[in-house]
Amino acid sequence: MSLLRRAARGVRERRFFVPSGGGDPWTIPTNGSLASYTAAGVPVTEETAMQLIAVYACVRIISTALSGLPLDAVRMQGEVRRPLDPPPLIVSDPFGGTNSLARLTRRVGIQQMAVSCLLRGNAYAVVLQRDRYYRPTMLQVLHPDRVDVALDATGRRQYTVNRLPVDADDIVHIAAMAPPESPKGVSVIQAARQSIGLGLAAEEFGSRFFGSGAHMSGIVQVPGDLDRERARQLKESFQASHGGLSNAHTVGVLTGGAEWKPISVTPEDAQFLGTRAAQNLDIAMLFGIPPHMLGQVDRTTSWGTGIEQQSLGFLKYTLASWIGLFEDAWSAMLPAPQVAKFNVEGLLRTDTAGRFAVYMMARNAGLLTIDEIRAKEDLAPLPDGQGADPFVPLNSSATTPTDGADPGAQTPKSAAESGKEP
Protein backbone atom coordinates (compact mmCIF):
# COMPACT_ATOMS: atom_id res chain seq x y z
CA MET A 1 0.00 0.00 0.00
CA SER A 2 1.48 3.37 -1.01
CA LEU A 3 2.17 6.22 1.39
CA LEU A 4 -0.41 8.40 -0.35
CA ARG A 5 -3.12 5.80 0.22
CA ARG A 6 -2.08 5.53 3.86
CA ALA A 7 -2.18 9.30 4.23
CA ALA A 8 -5.72 9.38 2.86
CA ARG A 9 -6.82 6.83 5.45
CA GLY A 10 -5.37 8.73 8.41
CA VAL A 11 -2.24 8.84 10.47
CA ARG A 12 -2.93 5.96 12.84
CA GLU A 13 -4.10 2.66 11.45
CA ARG A 14 -5.76 -0.15 13.41
CA ARG A 15 -6.69 -3.61 12.26
CA PHE A 16 -8.00 -6.21 14.65
CA PHE A 17 -8.40 -9.83 13.60
CA VAL A 18 -10.69 -11.87 15.82
CA PRO A 19 -9.36 -15.42 16.36
CA SER A 20 -11.25 -18.36 14.94
CA GLY A 21 -14.30 -19.22 17.03
CA GLY A 22 -14.49 -15.72 18.48
CA GLY A 23 -16.89 -14.14 16.01
CA ASP A 24 -15.87 -15.43 12.58
CA PRO A 25 -18.77 -16.84 10.54
CA TRP A 26 -16.78 -19.96 9.81
CA THR A 27 -14.17 -22.07 11.55
CA ILE A 28 -10.64 -22.40 10.27
CA PRO A 29 -9.54 -26.06 10.15
CA THR A 30 -6.29 -26.81 11.95
CA ASN A 31 -3.51 -28.73 10.34
CA GLY A 32 -4.38 -31.63 12.64
CA SER A 33 -7.62 -32.33 10.77
CA LEU A 34 -5.72 -32.61 7.50
CA ALA A 35 -2.83 -34.76 8.72
CA SER A 36 -2.52 -38.36 7.64
CA TYR A 37 -1.36 -41.24 9.76
CA THR A 38 2.30 -42.20 9.63
CA ALA A 39 3.67 -45.66 8.98
CA ALA A 40 3.97 -46.11 12.76
CA GLY A 41 0.18 -45.80 13.00
CA VAL A 42 -0.01 -42.43 14.81
CA PRO A 43 -0.99 -39.03 13.38
CA VAL A 44 1.61 -36.27 13.57
CA THR A 45 0.49 -32.67 13.94
CA GLU A 46 1.99 -29.78 15.86
CA GLU A 47 -0.23 -30.71 18.83
CA THR A 48 0.72 -34.39 18.86
CA ALA A 49 4.38 -33.65 18.10
CA MET A 50 4.62 -31.48 21.21
CA GLN A 51 3.55 -34.52 23.23
CA LEU A 52 6.92 -36.04 22.39
CA ILE A 53 9.20 -34.79 25.13
CA ALA A 54 12.22 -34.40 22.81
CA VAL A 55 10.27 -32.15 20.42
CA TYR A 56 8.86 -30.11 23.29
CA ALA A 57 12.32 -29.70 24.83
CA CYS A 58 13.90 -28.56 21.54
CA VAL A 59 11.14 -26.03 20.88
CA ARG A 60 11.33 -24.77 24.46
CA ILE A 61 15.12 -24.38 24.44
CA ILE A 62 15.31 -22.41 21.18
CA SER A 63 12.19 -20.26 21.71
CA THR A 64 13.04 -19.30 25.29
CA ALA A 65 16.68 -18.61 24.46
CA LEU A 66 15.70 -16.38 21.54
CA SER A 67 12.91 -14.50 23.31
CA GLY A 68 15.05 -13.97 26.41
CA LEU A 69 17.68 -11.96 24.52
CA PRO A 70 17.39 -8.16 24.81
CA LEU A 71 16.37 -6.53 21.53
CA ASP A 72 18.00 -3.19 20.76
CA ALA A 73 17.67 -0.62 18.00
CA VAL A 74 20.98 0.80 16.79
CA ARG A 75 21.98 3.36 14.19
CA MET A 76 24.76 2.26 11.88
CA GLN A 77 27.42 4.89 11.22
CA GLY A 78 29.87 3.00 9.06
CA GLU A 79 31.00 0.11 11.24
CA VAL A 80 30.02 1.91 14.45
CA ARG A 81 26.74 1.00 16.15
CA ARG A 82 25.10 3.65 18.27
CA PRO A 83 22.15 2.48 20.40
CA LEU A 84 18.96 4.53 20.15
CA ASP A 85 17.76 5.90 23.45
CA PRO A 86 14.83 5.61 23.78
CA PRO A 87 14.31 2.80 21.27
CA PRO A 88 11.27 2.81 18.94
CA LEU A 89 8.10 1.21 20.23
CA ILE A 90 8.29 -1.54 17.62
CA VAL A 91 11.50 -2.66 19.35
CA SER A 92 10.84 -1.91 23.02
CA ASP A 93 7.16 -2.93 23.09
CA PRO A 94 6.18 -4.41 19.72
CA PHE A 95 3.02 -6.16 20.95
CA GLY A 96 1.67 -3.46 23.28
CA GLY A 97 2.04 -5.55 26.43
CA THR A 98 3.62 -2.77 28.49
CA ASN A 99 0.56 -0.53 28.33
CA SER A 100 -2.13 -3.22 28.26
CA LEU A 101 -2.50 -6.40 30.25
CA ALA A 102 -4.65 -7.80 27.44
CA ARG A 103 -1.69 -7.77 25.03
CA LEU A 104 1.57 -9.68 24.83
CA THR A 105 4.90 -8.59 26.22
CA ARG A 106 7.86 -8.50 23.89
CA ARG A 107 9.24 -11.75 25.26
CA VAL A 108 5.96 -13.67 25.02
CA GLY A 109 5.21 -12.38 21.51
CA ILE A 110 8.63 -13.28 20.12
CA GLN A 111 8.45 -16.67 21.80
CA GLN A 112 5.10 -17.41 20.16
CA MET A 113 6.46 -16.44 16.75
CA ALA A 114 9.54 -18.61 17.37
CA VAL A 115 7.31 -21.58 18.24
CA SER A 116 5.39 -21.09 14.98
CA CYS A 117 8.66 -21.03 13.03
CA LEU A 118 10.01 -24.11 14.75
CA LEU A 119 6.89 -26.20 14.29
CA ARG A 120 5.33 -24.84 11.11
CA GLY A 121 8.25 -23.12 9.36
CA ASN A 122 6.42 -19.77 9.28
CA ALA A 123 5.52 -17.05 11.76
CA TYR A 124 3.09 -14.22 11.04
CA ALA A 125 2.16 -10.95 12.69
CA VAL A 126 -0.13 -8.18 11.45
CA VAL A 127 0.53 -4.46 11.89
CA LEU A 128 -2.10 -2.96 14.19
CA GLN A 129 -0.84 0.59 14.57
CA ARG A 130 1.52 3.01 12.85
CA ASP A 131 2.97 6.36 13.84
CA ARG A 132 2.66 9.60 11.92
CA TYR A 133 5.53 8.52 9.68
CA TYR A 134 3.58 5.32 8.85
CA ARG A 135 6.12 3.16 10.61
CA PRO A 136 4.78 0.12 12.50
CA THR A 137 4.41 0.61 16.24
CA MET A 138 2.32 -2.41 17.28
CA LEU A 139 1.92 -5.99 16.05
CA GLN A 140 -0.46 -8.86 16.68
CA VAL A 141 0.78 -12.44 16.43
CA LEU A 142 -1.29 -14.64 14.10
CA HIS A 143 -1.69 -18.40 14.13
CA PRO A 144 -0.24 -19.90 10.92
CA ASP A 145 -3.52 -21.70 10.21
CA ARG A 146 -5.25 -18.35 9.79
CA VAL A 147 -2.82 -17.05 7.15
CA ASP A 148 -2.40 -18.10 3.54
CA VAL A 149 0.28 -16.75 1.23
CA ALA A 150 0.90 -17.09 -2.50
CA LEU A 151 3.05 -15.43 -5.15
CA ASP A 152 1.56 -13.31 -7.89
CA ALA A 153 2.90 -12.99 -11.44
CA THR A 154 5.50 -10.42 -10.32
CA GLY A 155 6.80 -12.58 -7.47
CA ARG A 156 5.23 -10.43 -4.76
CA ARG A 157 3.60 -12.18 -1.84
CA GLN A 158 -0.18 -12.01 -1.53
CA TYR A 159 -1.60 -12.64 1.95
CA THR A 160 -5.05 -13.54 3.21
CA VAL A 161 -6.00 -13.63 6.89
CA ASN A 162 -9.24 -15.43 7.75
CA ARG A 163 -9.75 -15.61 3.96
CA LEU A 164 -9.68 -11.82 3.72
CA PRO A 165 -6.95 -10.13 1.63
CA VAL A 166 -4.41 -8.14 3.60
CA ASP A 167 -1.78 -5.84 2.14
CA ALA A 168 1.68 -7.38 2.21
CA ASP A 169 3.06 -4.25 3.88
CA ASP A 170 0.84 -4.98 6.89
CA ILE A 171 2.17 -8.52 7.42
CA VAL A 172 5.40 -9.47 9.16
CA HIS A 173 6.33 -12.88 7.78
CA ILE A 174 9.30 -14.82 9.16
CA ALA A 175 9.93 -17.92 7.05
CA ALA A 176 12.37 -20.63 8.04
CA MET A 177 14.16 -22.84 5.51
CA ALA A 178 12.29 -22.81 2.20
CA PRO A 179 12.92 -24.10 -1.34
CA PRO A 180 13.44 -21.59 -4.17
CA GLU A 181 10.35 -19.71 -5.40
CA SER A 182 8.31 -20.91 -2.45
CA PRO A 183 6.33 -18.28 -0.55
CA LYS A 184 6.36 -20.30 2.68
CA GLY A 185 8.90 -22.06 4.83
CA VAL A 186 9.04 -25.81 5.24
CA SER A 187 7.10 -27.26 8.16
CA VAL A 188 9.48 -29.27 10.30
CA ILE A 189 6.63 -31.38 11.63
CA GLN A 190 5.49 -32.39 8.16
CA ALA A 191 9.01 -32.89 6.80
CA ALA A 192 10.02 -35.22 9.65
CA ARG A 193 6.64 -36.63 10.60
CA GLN A 194 7.73 -40.26 10.08
CA SER A 195 10.59 -39.88 12.54
CA ILE A 196 8.39 -38.02 15.02
CA GLY A 197 5.67 -40.64 14.55
CA LEU A 198 8.13 -43.39 15.41
CA GLY A 199 8.99 -41.57 18.62
CA LEU A 200 5.32 -41.17 19.51
CA ALA A 201 4.70 -44.86 18.78
CA ALA A 202 7.63 -45.84 20.99
CA GLU A 203 6.24 -43.80 23.86
CA GLU A 204 2.81 -45.34 23.40
CA PHE A 205 4.36 -48.80 23.37
CA GLY A 206 6.22 -48.03 26.58
CA SER A 207 3.06 -46.84 28.28
CA ARG A 208 1.25 -50.00 27.29
CA PHE A 209 4.24 -52.14 28.15
CA PHE A 210 4.33 -50.95 31.73
CA GLY A 211 0.55 -50.80 32.04
CA SER A 212 -1.64 -53.70 33.00
CA GLY A 213 -2.43 -56.20 30.28
CA ALA A 214 0.17 -55.02 27.79
CA HIS A 215 2.41 -58.01 28.29
CA MET A 216 2.38 -61.34 30.11
CA SER A 217 4.59 -60.83 33.15
CA GLY A 218 4.37 -64.41 34.43
CA ILE A 219 2.48 -67.66 34.60
CA VAL A 220 0.62 -69.57 37.30
CA GLN A 221 1.76 -73.18 37.24
CA VAL A 222 -0.64 -75.76 38.68
CA PRO A 223 0.20 -79.45 39.13
CA GLY A 224 -2.02 -81.67 37.09
CA ASP A 225 -4.33 -80.83 34.23
CA LEU A 226 -7.07 -78.18 34.27
CA ASP A 227 -9.94 -78.01 31.90
CA ARG A 228 -10.72 -74.81 30.03
CA GLU A 229 -13.36 -73.61 32.50
CA ARG A 230 -11.22 -74.13 35.62
CA ALA A 231 -8.24 -72.46 33.91
CA ARG A 232 -10.40 -69.46 33.03
CA GLN A 233 -11.72 -69.21 36.59
CA LEU A 234 -8.20 -69.38 38.04
CA LYS A 235 -6.96 -66.66 35.69
CA GLU A 236 -9.89 -64.36 36.43
CA SER A 237 -9.58 -64.94 40.16
CA PHE A 238 -5.85 -64.21 40.14
CA GLN A 239 -6.23 -61.03 38.05
CA ALA A 240 -9.07 -59.79 40.24
CA SER A 241 -7.01 -60.24 43.37
CA HIS A 242 -3.49 -59.37 42.23
CA GLY A 243 -3.66 -57.68 38.82
CA GLY A 244 -4.26 -54.13 37.65
CA LEU A 245 -2.52 -50.91 38.46
CA SER A 246 -4.17 -50.42 41.85
CA ASN A 247 -2.93 -53.84 43.06
CA ALA A 248 0.49 -53.70 41.45
CA HIS A 249 2.33 -54.14 44.76
CA THR A 250 -0.10 -56.41 46.61
CA VAL A 251 0.89 -59.73 48.18
CA GLY A 252 -0.21 -62.78 46.23
CA VAL A 253 -1.64 -65.91 47.86
CA LEU A 254 -1.92 -69.07 45.76
CA THR A 255 -3.61 -72.30 46.88
CA GLY A 256 -4.04 -75.81 45.60
CA GLY A 257 -0.34 -76.24 44.76
CA ALA A 258 -0.34 -73.33 42.30
CA GLU A 259 3.06 -71.66 41.77
CA TRP A 260 3.80 -68.21 40.30
CA LYS A 261 6.71 -68.00 37.87
CA PRO A 262 7.58 -64.52 36.52
CA ILE A 263 8.70 -64.13 32.92
CA SER A 264 11.82 -62.02 32.53
CA VAL A 265 10.93 -59.77 29.59
CA THR A 266 12.57 -56.34 29.79
CA PRO A 267 12.19 -53.27 27.58
CA GLU A 268 15.83 -53.71 26.55
CA ASP A 269 14.90 -57.11 25.03
CA ALA A 270 12.30 -55.37 22.90
CA GLN A 271 14.82 -52.63 21.96
CA PHE A 272 12.50 -50.14 23.60
CA LEU A 273 15.12 -48.01 25.31
CA GLY A 274 17.41 -48.16 22.28
CA THR A 275 14.62 -46.98 20.01
CA ARG A 276 13.77 -44.08 22.29
CA ALA A 277 17.41 -43.00 22.56
CA ALA A 278 17.82 -43.11 18.78
CA GLN A 279 14.65 -41.07 18.27
CA ASN A 280 15.74 -38.46 20.80
CA LEU A 281 19.03 -38.14 18.94
CA ASP A 282 17.19 -37.75 15.62
CA ILE A 283 14.95 -35.03 17.07
CA ALA A 284 17.97 -33.21 18.51
CA MET A 285 19.65 -33.37 15.10
CA LEU A 286 16.45 -32.14 13.43
CA PHE A 287 16.32 -28.96 15.53
CA GLY A 288 20.10 -28.50 15.81
CA ILE A 289 20.17 -29.03 19.57
CA PRO A 290 23.28 -30.66 21.07
CA PRO A 291 22.29 -33.99 22.65
CA HIS A 292 23.67 -33.04 26.05
CA MET A 293 21.04 -30.27 26.27
CA LEU A 294 18.37 -32.97 26.05
CA GLY A 295 19.92 -34.95 28.87
CA GLN A 296 21.86 -37.43 26.73
CA VAL A 297 25.20 -37.33 28.51
CA ASP A 298 26.11 -40.98 27.96
CA ARG A 299 28.39 -40.13 25.04
CA THR A 300 31.10 -37.65 24.25
CA THR A 301 30.24 -34.47 22.40
CA SER A 302 32.09 -32.77 19.58
CA TRP A 303 30.74 -29.36 20.57
CA GLY A 304 33.81 -28.57 22.66
CA THR A 305 34.81 -29.12 26.24
CA GLY A 306 33.14 -27.33 29.10
CA ILE A 307 29.85 -25.52 29.39
CA GLU A 308 31.29 -22.33 27.89
CA GLN A 309 32.41 -23.95 24.64
CA GLN A 310 29.18 -25.92 24.35
CA SER A 311 27.16 -22.73 24.82
CA LEU A 312 29.21 -21.01 22.13
CA GLY A 313 28.56 -23.91 19.78
CA PHE A 314 24.82 -23.73 20.43
CA LEU A 315 24.86 -19.98 19.80
CA LYS A 316 26.94 -20.23 16.63
CA TYR A 317 25.42 -23.25 14.91
CA THR A 318 21.81 -23.16 16.09
CA LEU A 319 20.64 -19.89 17.58
CA ALA A 320 22.53 -17.54 15.24
CA SER A 321 20.37 -18.39 12.22
CA TRP A 322 17.13 -17.78 14.16
CA ILE A 323 18.53 -14.54 15.53
CA GLY A 324 19.31 -13.38 12.00
CA LEU A 325 15.77 -14.13 10.76
CA PHE A 326 14.13 -12.09 13.53
CA GLU A 327 16.66 -9.26 13.26
CA ASP A 328 15.99 -8.95 9.53
CA ALA A 329 12.22 -8.86 10.10
CA TRP A 330 12.47 -6.14 12.75
CA SER A 331 15.11 -4.15 10.85
CA ALA A 332 12.73 -3.96 7.87
CA MET A 333 10.28 -2.02 10.08
CA LEU A 334 12.91 0.59 11.03
CA PRO A 335 14.07 3.50 8.88
CA ALA A 336 17.56 3.16 7.42
CA PRO A 337 20.26 3.24 8.72
CA GLN A 338 18.59 1.90 11.88
CA VAL A 339 18.69 -1.85 12.45
CA ALA A 340 17.49 -4.20 15.18
CA LYS A 341 20.06 -6.29 17.03
CA PHE A 342 19.73 -8.96 19.69
CA ASN A 343 22.19 -8.63 22.54
CA VAL A 344 23.83 -12.03 22.99
CA GLU A 345 26.13 -10.94 25.80
CA GLY A 346 24.15 -12.99 28.30
CA LEU A 347 24.91 -16.21 26.40
CA LEU A 348 28.61 -15.34 26.17
CA ARG A 349 29.12 -14.79 29.87
CA THR A 350 31.84 -17.02 31.28
CA ASP A 351 32.91 -17.72 34.84
CA THR A 352 33.80 -14.77 37.05
CA ALA A 353 37.59 -15.13 36.71
CA GLY A 354 37.46 -15.48 32.93
CA ARG A 355 34.97 -12.64 32.57
CA PHE A 356 37.07 -10.18 34.55
CA ALA A 357 40.20 -11.21 32.66
CA VAL A 358 38.46 -10.28 29.40
CA TYR A 359 37.34 -6.98 30.93
CA MET A 360 40.93 -6.20 31.88
CA MET A 361 42.21 -6.86 28.35
CA ALA A 362 39.42 -4.75 26.81
CA ARG A 363 40.09 -1.98 29.32
CA ASN A 364 43.83 -1.94 28.58
CA ALA A 365 43.15 -1.82 24.83
CA GLY A 366 40.72 1.07 25.23
CA LEU A 367 37.78 -0.98 23.91
CA LEU A 368 35.63 -0.64 27.02
CA THR A 369 35.27 2.08 29.59
CA ILE A 370 34.90 1.44 33.29
CA ASP A 371 31.24 2.44 33.11
CA GLU A 372 30.63 0.01 30.23
CA ILE A 373 32.23 -2.80 32.21
CA ARG A 374 30.15 -1.90 35.25
CA ALA A 375 27.01 -1.89 33.10
CA LYS A 376 27.76 -5.45 31.96
CA GLU A 377 27.89 -6.45 35.62
CA ASP A 378 24.63 -4.58 36.39
CA LEU A 379 26.45 -1.91 38.40
CA ALA A 380 25.84 1.83 38.41
CA PRO A 381 28.38 4.08 36.63
CA LEU A 382 31.00 5.95 38.60
CA PRO A 383 29.97 9.42 39.81
CA ASP A 384 30.87 12.61 37.96
CA GLY A 385 31.69 10.74 34.74
CA GLN A 386 34.89 9.27 36.17
CA GLY A 387 34.41 5.98 34.31
CA ALA A 388 33.38 7.37 30.91
CA ASP A 389 36.86 7.90 29.42
CA PRO A 390 38.28 4.73 27.81
CA PHE A 391 41.81 6.16 27.74
CA VAL A 392 42.18 7.03 31.40
CA PRO A 393 45.06 4.88 32.69
CA LEU A 394 44.30 2.23 35.25
CA ASN A 395 46.38 4.07 37.86
CA SER A 396 44.36 7.23 37.26
CA SER A 397 44.44 7.98 40.98
CA ALA A 398 48.08 9.04 40.59
CA THR A 399 47.04 11.84 38.23
CA THR A 400 44.07 12.97 40.28
CA PRO A 401 44.86 16.12 42.31
CA THR A 402 44.72 15.72 46.07
CA ASP A 403 42.11 17.51 48.14
CA GLY A 404 42.93 21.16 48.60
CA ALA A 405 45.53 21.28 45.85
CA ASP A 406 45.25 23.68 42.93
CA PRO A 407 44.47 21.66 39.77
CA GLY A 408 46.19 24.29 37.64
CA ALA A 409 49.32 24.51 39.75
CA GLN A 410 52.44 22.91 38.31
CA THR A 411 54.21 20.21 40.25
CA PRO A 412 57.68 21.37 41.31
CA LYS A 413 60.40 19.67 39.33
CA SER A 414 63.07 17.73 41.08
CA ALA A 415 66.64 18.84 41.02
CA ALA A 416 67.58 16.21 38.49
CA GLU A 417 64.75 17.30 36.18
CA SER A 418 65.65 21.02 36.42
CA GLY A 419 69.36 20.43 35.81
CA LYS A 420 70.33 22.58 38.77
CA GLU A 421 72.32 21.77 41.86
CA PRO A 422 70.20 21.25 44.96
Side-chain angles (χ1 to χ4, degrees):
M1 185 179 297
S2 65
L3 293 180
L4 293 178
R5 290 174 60 188
R6 294 189 186 281
R9 294 169 54 182
V11 173
R12 187 175 296 272
E13 177 178 304
R14 290 183 175 89
R15 290 191 178 190
F16 298 93
F17 291 89
V18 181
S20 175
D24 287 342
W26 51 278
T27 302
I28 304 174
T30 64
N31 67 330
S33 62
L34 304 177
S36 60
Y37 277 74
T38 60
V42 293
V44 175
T45 66
E46 62 181 77
E47 290 84 4
T48 59
M50 289 290 280
Q51 297 175 9
L52 188 61
I53 189 171
V55 174
Y56 186 95
C58 290
V59 173
R60 175 188 58 82
I61 290 172
I62 296 178
S63 62
T64 55
L66 179 64
S67 61
L69 296 175
L71 183 61
D72 302 323
V74 299
R75 180 184 298 274
M76 300 299 297
Q77 295 180 351
E79 297 296 327
V80 180
R81 302 177 181 177
R82 299 190 180 278
L84 299 181
D85 189 19
L89 281 177
I90 197 62
V91 172
S92 61
D93 188 23
F95 307 100
T98 302
N99 299 322
S100 175
L101 296 178
R103 298 198 177 277
L104 303 178
T105 62
R106 181 195 61 82
R107 177 173 298 191
V108 174
I110 291 181
Q111 184 178 25
Q112 289 186 359
M113 297 185 70
V115 170
S116 294
C117 271
L118 290 166
L119 294 177
R120 301 290 295 277
N122 299 274
Y124 303 97
V126 64
V127 177
L128 290 184
Q129 294 184 9
R130 297 177 181 270
D131 60 12
R132 60 178 180 174
Y133 301 107
Y134 309 106
R135 299 166 185 162
T137 58
M138 185 182 298
L139 305 175
Q140 176 183 332
V141 181
L142 299 176
H143 193 283
D145 282 334
R146 301 171 57 196
V147 184
D148 191 22
V149 54
L151 296 179
D152 60 12
T154 63
R156 181 177 172 85
R157 288 184 173 93
Q158 301 291 329
Y159 293 93
T160 58
V161 179
N162 296 357
R163 295 182 179 175
L164 300 176
V166 179
D167 195 280
D169 294 333
D170 290 334
I171 294 291
V172 177
H173 180 192
I174 302 177
M177 185 177 63
E181 298 187 1
S182 175
K184 305 173 83 172
V186 177
S187 172
V188 175
I189 300 303
Q190 292 300 317
R193 63 189 187 93
Q194 294 292 347
S195 179
I196 297 174
L198 180 58
L200 290 172
E203 282 200 348
E204 183 178 353
F205 168 79
S207 300
R208 294 183 180 276
F209 191 93
F210 290 104
S212 61
H215 66 286
M216 187 169 60
S217 59
I219 61 174
V220 178
Q221 184 175 354
V222 181
D225 295 332
L226 296 178
D227 56 23
R228 184 183 301 272
E229 182 63 23
R230 293 187 60 187
R232 183 185 62 80
Q233 292 177 358
L234 178 60
K235 178 180 179 181
E236 292 177 353
S237 176
F238 184 82
Q239 287 182 341
S241 301
H242 314 300
L245 296 177
S246 61
N247 299 319
H249 301 287
T250 188
V251 178
V253 178
L254 302 178
T255 61
E259 181 182 358
W260 167 260
K261 290 187 176 182
I263 298 177
S264 179
V265 178
T266 62
E268 290 84 354
D269 296 333
Q271 297 297 316
F272 169 65
L273 294 181
T275 301
R276 290 203 63 189
Q279 287 310 115
N280 289 342
L281 186 60
D282 286 346
I283 298 302
M285 180 173 55
L286 175 66
F287 286 95
I289 298 293
H292 67 271
M293 297 185 72
L294 296 183
Q296 285 196 270
V297 294
D298 57 340
R299 64 189 69 192
T300 58
T301 174
S302 58
W303 287 65
T305 58
I307 297 298
E308 178 185 355
Q309 293 299 320
Q310 294 172 3
S311 299
L312 290 175
F314 170 67
L315 174 62
K316 180 177 181 181
Y317 299 111
T318 301
L319 205 58
S321 60
W322 294 107
I323 289 176
L325 288 175
F326 278 78
E327 285 180 346
D328 291 345
W330 255 258
S331 297
M333 294 183 284
L334 298 175
Q338 298 179 14
V339 295
K341 289 292 181 182
F342 280 103
N343 189 346
V344 298
E345 288 291 335
L347 296 179
L348 299 177
R349 291 175 69 92
T350 61
D351 59 283
T352 303
R355 195 164 67 249
F356 277 75
V358 173
Y359 291 159
M360 184 64 69
M361 289 187 292
R363 179 71 179 84
N364 290 336
L367 301 177
L368 291 176
T369 66
I370 296 179
D371 285 349
E372 290 172 339
I373 295 175
R374 292 175 64 88
K376 292 180 180 295
E377 294 297 319
D378 295 328
L379 298 175
L382 295 178
D384 302 327
Q386 300 178 21
D389 189 353
F391 301 105
V392 173
L394 293 178
N395 57 346
S396 57
S397 58
T399 61
T400 302
T402 58
D403 294 341
D406 185 5
Q410 297 182 353
T411 303
K413 297 182 179 180
S414 61
E417 291 174 341
S418 60
K420 297 180 180 180
E421 292 294 334

